[in-house]
PDB file of all heavy atoms in Angstrom:
ATOM      1  N   LEU B  61    -111.646  89.471 112.539  1.00 98.00           N
ATOM      2  CA  LEU B  61    -111.916  89.522 113.984  1.00 98.00           C
ATOM      3  C   LEU B  61    -113.280  88.912 114.299  1.00 98.00           C
ATOM      4  O   LEU B  61    -113.470  88.275 115.338  1.00 98.00           O
ATOM      5  CB  LEU B  61    -111.830  90.965 114.497  1.00 98.00           C
ATOM      6  CG  LEU B  61    -110.449  91.600 114.482  1.00 98.00           C
ATOM      7  CD1 LEU B  61    -110.496  93.047 114.954  1.00 98.00           C
ATOM      8  CD2 LEU B  61    -109.455  90.814 115.327  1.00 98.00           C
ATOM      9  N   SER B  62    -114.219  89.083 113.390  1.00 98.00           N
ATOM     10  CA  SER B  62    -115.536  88.474 113.579  1.00 98.00           C
ATOM     11  C   SER B  62    -115.461  86.959 113.496  1.00 98.00           C
ATOM     12  O   SER B  62    -116.002  86.257 114.343  1.00 98.00           O
ATOM     13  CB  SER B  62    -116.505  88.996 112.529  1.00 98.00           C
ATOM     14  OG  SER B  62    -117.408  89.918 113.086  1.00 98.00           O
ATOM     15  N   GLU B  63    -114.730  86.472 112.506  1.00 96.00           N
ATOM     16  CA  GLU B  63    -114.494  85.030 112.360  1.00 96.00           C
ATOM     17  C   GLU B  63    -113.966  84.436 113.666  1.00 96.00           C
ATOM     18  O   GLU B  63    -114.368  83.359 114.087  1.00 96.00           O
ATOM     19  CB  GLU B  63    -113.406  84.772 111.293  1.00 96.00           C
ATOM     20  CG  GLU B  63    -113.739  85.229 109.905  1.00 96.00           C
ATOM     21  CD  GLU B  63    -114.543  84.188 109.144  1.00 96.00           C
ATOM     22  OE1 GLU B  63    -113.996  83.092 108.947  1.00 96.00           O
ATOM     23  OE2 GLU B  63    -115.696  84.487 108.772  1.00 96.00           O
ATOM     24  N   LYS B  64    -113.040  85.192 114.251  1.00 97.00           N
ATOM     25  CA  LYS B  64    -112.360  84.718 115.459  1.00 97.00           C
ATOM     26  C   LYS B  64    -113.202  84.848 116.729  1.00 97.00           C
ATOM     27  O   LYS B  64    -112.773  84.456 117.798  1.00 97.00           O
ATOM     28  CB  LYS B  64    -111.073  85.509 115.672  1.00 97.00           C
ATOM     29  CG  LYS B  64    -109.929  85.161 114.737  1.00 97.00           C
ATOM     30  CD  LYS B  64    -108.613  85.635 115.346  1.00 97.00           C
ATOM     31  CE  LYS B  64    -107.424  85.198 114.528  1.00 97.00           C
ATOM     32  NZ  LYS B  64    -106.158  85.415 115.242  1.00 97.00           N
ATOM     33  N   GLY B  65    -114.358  85.466 116.595  1.00 97.00           N
ATOM     34  CA  GLY B  65    -115.220  85.611 117.769  1.00 97.00           C
ATOM     35  C   GLY B  65    -114.853  86.770 118.662  1.00 97.00           C
ATOM     36  O   GLY B  65    -115.334  86.885 119.799  1.00 97.00           O
ATOM     37  N   VAL B  66    -114.022  87.659 118.154  1.00 98.00           N
ATOM     38  CA  VAL B  66    -113.580  88.803 118.952  1.00 98.00           C
ATOM     39  C   VAL B  66    -114.518  89.992 118.760  1.00 98.00           C
ATOM     40  O   VAL B  66    -114.698  90.807 119.651  1.00 98.00           O
ATOM     41  CB  VAL B  66    -112.134  89.192 118.532  1.00 98.00           C
ATOM     42  CG1 VAL B  66    -111.743  90.531 119.107  1.00 98.00           C
ATOM     43  CG2 VAL B  66    -111.162  88.098 118.937  1.00 98.00           C
ATOM     44  N   ALA B  67    -115.114  90.073 117.555  1.00 98.00           N
ATOM     45  CA  ALA B  67    -115.959  91.226 117.243  1.00 98.00           C
ATOM     46  C   ALA B  67    -117.224  90.762 116.531  1.00 98.00           C
ATOM     47  O   ALA B  67    -117.322  89.631 116.048  1.00 98.00           O
ATOM     48  CB  ALA B  67    -115.186  92.209 116.372  1.00 98.00           C
ATOM     49  N   ASN B  68    -118.204  91.662 116.498  1.00 98.00           N
ATOM     50  CA  ASN B  68    -119.420  91.412 115.727  1.00 98.00           C
ATOM     51  C   ASN B  68    -119.472  92.433 114.593  1.00 98.00           C
ATOM     52  O   ASN B  68    -119.588  93.623 114.843  1.00 98.00           O
ATOM     53  CB  ASN B  68    -120.644  91.574 116.619  1.00 98.00           C
ATOM     54  CG  ASN B  68    -120.535  90.746 117.868  1.00 98.00           C
ATOM     55  OD1 ASN B  68    -120.332  89.529 117.804  1.00 98.00           O
ATOM     56  ND2 ASN B  68    -120.610  91.401 119.034  1.00 98.00           N
ATOM     57  N   TYR B  69    -119.386  91.913 113.391  1.00 98.00           N
ATOM     58  CA  TYR B  69    -119.350  92.796 112.236  1.00 98.00           C
ATOM     59  C   TYR B  69    -120.598  92.639 111.394  1.00 98.00           C
ATOM     60  O   TYR B  69    -120.954  91.538 111.003  1.00 98.00           O
ATOM     61  CB  TYR B  69    -118.097  92.484 111.400  1.00 98.00           C
ATOM     62  CG  TYR B  69    -118.103  93.056 110.007  1.00 98.00           C
ATOM     63  CD1 TYR B  69    -118.164  94.442 109.800  1.00 98.00           C
ATOM     64  CD2 TYR B  69    -118.006  92.209 108.900  1.00 98.00           C
ATOM     65  CE1 TYR B  69    -118.146  94.950 108.511  1.00 98.00           C
ATOM     66  CE2 TYR B  69    -117.979  92.723 107.616  1.00 98.00           C
ATOM     67  CZ  TYR B  69    -118.064  94.088 107.426  1.00 98.00           C
ATOM     68  OH  TYR B  69    -118.034  94.594 106.146  1.00 98.00           O
ATOM     69  N   LYS B  70    -121.291  93.756 111.158  1.00 97.00           N
ATOM     70  CA  LYS B  70    -122.457  93.771 110.281  1.00 97.00           C
ATOM     71  C   LYS B  70    -122.116  94.631 109.069  1.00 97.00           C
ATOM     72  O   LYS B  70    -121.970  95.855 109.220  1.00 97.00           O
ATOM     73  CB  LYS B  70    -123.666  94.391 111.009  1.00 97.00           C
ATOM     74  CG  LYS B  70    -124.233  93.534 112.117  1.00 97.00           C
ATOM     75  CD  LYS B  70    -125.439  92.730 111.619  1.00 97.00           C
ATOM     76  CE  LYS B  70    -125.707  91.511 112.487  1.00 97.00           C
ATOM     77  NZ  LYS B  70    -125.972  91.873 113.882  1.00 97.00           N
ATOM     78  N   PRO B  71    -122.028  94.015 107.875  1.00 97.00           N
ATOM     79  CA  PRO B  71    -121.656  94.806 106.691  1.00 97.00           C
ATOM     80  C   PRO B  71    -122.479  96.085 106.558  1.00 97.00           C
ATOM     81  O   PRO B  71    -123.693  96.064 106.767  1.00 97.00           O
ATOM     82  CB  PRO B  71    -121.943  93.848 105.530  1.00 97.00           C
ATOM     83  CG  PRO B  71    -121.776  92.501 106.116  1.00 97.00           C
ATOM     84  CD  PRO B  71    -122.228  92.611 107.536  1.00 97.00           C
ATOM     85  N   TYR B  72    -121.832  97.151 106.277  1.00 97.00           N
ATOM     86  CA  TYR B  72    -122.421  98.490 106.135  1.00 97.00           C
ATOM     87  C   TYR B  72    -122.959  99.093 107.447  1.00 97.00           C
ATOM     88  O   TYR B  72    -123.369 100.234 107.477  1.00 97.00           O
ATOM     89  CB  TYR B  72    -123.549  98.496 105.086  1.00 97.00           C
ATOM     90  CG  TYR B  72    -123.057  98.232 103.690  1.00 97.00           C
ATOM     91  CD1 TYR B  72    -123.231  96.991 103.095  1.00 97.00           C
ATOM     92  CD2 TYR B  72    -122.371  99.217 102.987  1.00 97.00           C
ATOM     93  CE1 TYR B  72    -122.754  96.734 101.821  1.00 97.00           C
ATOM     94  CE2 TYR B  72    -121.899  98.977 101.703  1.00 97.00           C
ATOM     95  CZ  TYR B  72    -122.090  97.731 101.122  1.00 97.00           C
ATOM     96  OH  TYR B  72    -121.617  97.498  99.872  1.00 97.00           O
ATOM     97  N   LYS B  73    -122.945  98.299 108.525  1.00 97.00           N
ATOM     98  CA  LYS B  73    -123.507  98.782 109.796  1.00 97.00           C
ATOM     99  C   LYS B  73    -122.442  99.133 110.833  1.00 97.00           C
ATOM    100  O   LYS B  73    -122.698  99.930 111.731  1.00 97.00           O
ATOM    101  CB  LYS B  73    -124.462  97.728 110.378  1.00 97.00           C
ATOM    102  CG  LYS B  73    -125.689  97.457 109.520  1.00 97.00           C
ATOM    103  CD  LYS B  73    -126.518  98.731 109.329  1.00 97.00           C
ATOM    104  CE  LYS B  73    -127.617  98.534 108.292  1.00 97.00           C
ATOM    105  NZ  LYS B  73    -128.230  99.809 107.899  1.00 97.00           N
ATOM    106  N   GLY B  74    -121.282  98.500 110.681  1.00 97.00           N
ATOM    107  CA  GLY B  74    -120.214  98.776 111.641  1.00 97.00           C
ATOM    108  C   GLY B  74    -119.773  97.534 112.401  1.00 97.00           C
ATOM    109  O   GLY B  74    -120.148  96.417 112.057  1.00 97.00           O
ATOM    110  N   VAL B  75    -119.008  97.758 113.440  1.00 98.00           N
ATOM    111  CA  VAL B  75    -118.429  96.641 114.195  1.00 98.00           C
ATOM    112  C   VAL B  75    -118.436  96.975 115.673  1.00 98.00           C
ATOM    113  O   VAL B  75    -118.315  98.139 116.061  1.00 98.00           O
ATOM    114  CB  VAL B  75    -116.982  96.357 113.710  1.00 98.00           C
ATOM    115  CG1 VAL B  75    -116.061  97.521 114.035  1.00 98.00           C
ATOM    116  CG2 VAL B  75    -116.436  95.060 114.281  1.00 98.00           C
ATOM    117  N   SER B  76    -118.621  95.940 116.503  1.00 98.00           N
ATOM    118  CA  SER B  76    -118.507  96.129 117.949  1.00 98.00           C
ATOM    119  C   SER B  76    -117.736  94.931 118.507  1.00 98.00           C
ATOM    120  O   SER B  76    -117.591  93.917 117.846  1.00 98.00           O
ATOM    121  CB  SER B  76    -119.883  96.204 118.592  1.00 98.00           C
ATOM    122  OG  SER B  76    -120.557  94.972 118.445  1.00 98.00           O
ATOM    123  N   LEU B  77    -117.245  95.075 119.729  1.00 98.00           N
ATOM    124  CA  LEU B  77    -116.495  93.986 120.339  1.00 98.00           C
ATOM    125  C   LEU B  77    -117.437  92.965 120.969  1.00 98.00           C
ATOM    126  O   LEU B  77    -118.476  93.327 121.524  1.00 98.00           O
ATOM    127  CB  LEU B  77    -115.548  94.532 121.406  1.00 98.00           C
ATOM    128  CG  LEU B  77    -114.379  95.383 120.916  1.00 98.00           C
ATOM    129  CD1 LEU B  77    -113.552  95.889 122.096  1.00 98.00           C
ATOM    130  CD2 LEU B  77    -113.502  94.617 119.929  1.00 98.00           C
ATOM    131  N   SER B  78    -117.069  91.712 120.898  1.00 98.00           N
ATOM    132  CA  SER B  78    -117.795  90.676 121.633  1.00 98.00           C
ATOM    133  C   SER B  78    -117.359  90.743 123.102  1.00 98.00           C
ATOM    134  O   SER B  78    -116.439  91.483 123.454  1.00 98.00           O
ATOM    135  CB  SER B  78    -117.447  89.302 121.074  1.00 98.00           C
ATOM    136  OG  SER B  78    -116.104  88.991 121.405  1.00 98.00           O
ATOM    137  N   GLU B  79    -118.014  89.969 123.929  1.00 97.00           N
ATOM    138  CA  GLU B  79    -117.619  89.823 125.343  1.00 97.00           C
ATOM    139  C   GLU B  79    -116.106  89.542 125.428  1.00 97.00           C
ATOM    140  O   GLU B  79    -115.366  90.224 126.140  1.00 97.00           O
ATOM    141  CB  GLU B  79    -118.387  88.635 125.941  1.00 97.00           C
ATOM    142  CG  GLU B  79    -118.440  88.626 127.437  1.00 97.00           C
ATOM    143  CD  GLU B  79    -119.663  89.428 127.935  1.00 97.00           C
ATOM    144  OE1 GLU B  79    -120.339  90.098 127.129  1.00 97.00           O
ATOM    145  OE2 GLU B  79    -119.909  89.367 129.142  1.00 97.00           O
ATOM    146  N   TYR B  80    -115.702  88.568 124.655  1.00 97.00           N
ATOM    147  CA  TYR B  80    -114.298  88.139 124.612  1.00 97.00           C
ATOM    148  C   TYR B  80    -113.403  89.283 124.139  1.00 97.00           C
ATOM    149  O   TYR B  80    -112.341  89.551 124.714  1.00 97.00           O
ATOM    150  CB  TYR B  80    -114.209  86.927 123.691  1.00 97.00           C
ATOM    151  CG  TYR B  80    -112.840  86.392 123.405  1.00 97.00           C
ATOM    152  CD1 TYR B  80    -111.877  86.294 124.405  1.00 97.00           C
ATOM    153  CD2 TYR B  80    -112.509  85.930 122.122  1.00 97.00           C
ATOM    154  CE1 TYR B  80    -110.623  85.776 124.124  1.00 97.00           C
ATOM    155  CE2 TYR B  80    -111.264  85.393 121.836  1.00 97.00           C
ATOM    156  CZ  TYR B  80    -110.320  85.326 122.843  1.00 97.00           C
ATOM    157  OH  TYR B  80    -109.080  84.809 122.561  1.00 97.00           O
ATOM    158  N   GLY B  81    -113.847  89.990 123.110  1.00 98.00           N
ATOM    159  CA  GLY B  81    -113.081  91.117 122.598  1.00 98.00           C
ATOM    160  C   GLY B  81    -112.900  92.211 123.644  1.00 98.00           C
ATOM    161  O   GLY B  81    -111.826  92.813 123.766  1.00 98.00           O
ATOM    162  N   GLN B  82    -113.953  92.455 124.424  1.00 97.00           N
ATOM    163  CA  GLN B  82    -113.883  93.448 125.494  1.00 97.00           C
ATOM    164  C   GLN B  82    -112.794  93.087 126.479  1.00 97.00           C
ATOM    165  O   GLN B  82    -112.033  93.945 126.951  1.00 97.00           O
ATOM    166  CB  GLN B  82    -115.221  93.484 126.262  1.00 97.00           C
ATOM    167  CG  GLN B  82    -116.381  94.010 125.458  1.00 97.00           C
ATOM    168  CD  GLN B  82    -116.698  95.472 125.789  1.00 97.00           C
ATOM    169  OE1 GLN B  82    -115.978  96.092 126.566  1.00 97.00           O
ATOM    170  NE2 GLN B  82    -117.726  96.009 125.179  1.00 97.00           N
ATOM    171  N   LYS B  83    -112.760  91.802 126.824  1.00 97.00           N
ATOM    172  CA  LYS B  83    -111.739  91.348 127.785  1.00 97.00           C
ATOM    173  C   LYS B  83    -110.340  91.620 127.263  1.00 97.00           C
ATOM    174  O   LYS B  83    -109.471  92.109 127.987  1.00 97.00           O
ATOM    175  CB  LYS B  83    -111.896  89.847 128.043  1.00 97.00           C
ATOM    176  CG  LYS B  83    -112.769  89.564 129.230  1.00 97.00           C
ATOM    177  CD  LYS B  83    -112.647  88.097 129.662  1.00 97.00           C
ATOM    178  CE  LYS B  83    -113.787  87.751 130.621  1.00 97.00           C
ATOM    179  NZ  LYS B  83    -114.288  86.388 130.413  1.00 97.00           N
TER     180      LYS B  83
END
Side-chain angles (χ1 to χ4, degrees):
Chain B
L61 292 178
S62 255
E63 298 275 298
K64 285 200 174 191
V66 168
N68 307 305
Y69 165 61
K70 290 263 158 60
Y72 294 103
K73 295 301 171 192
V75 66
S76 65
L77 292 178
S78 70
E79 198 88 352
Y80 175 41
Q82 293 260 4
K83 267 193 194 143

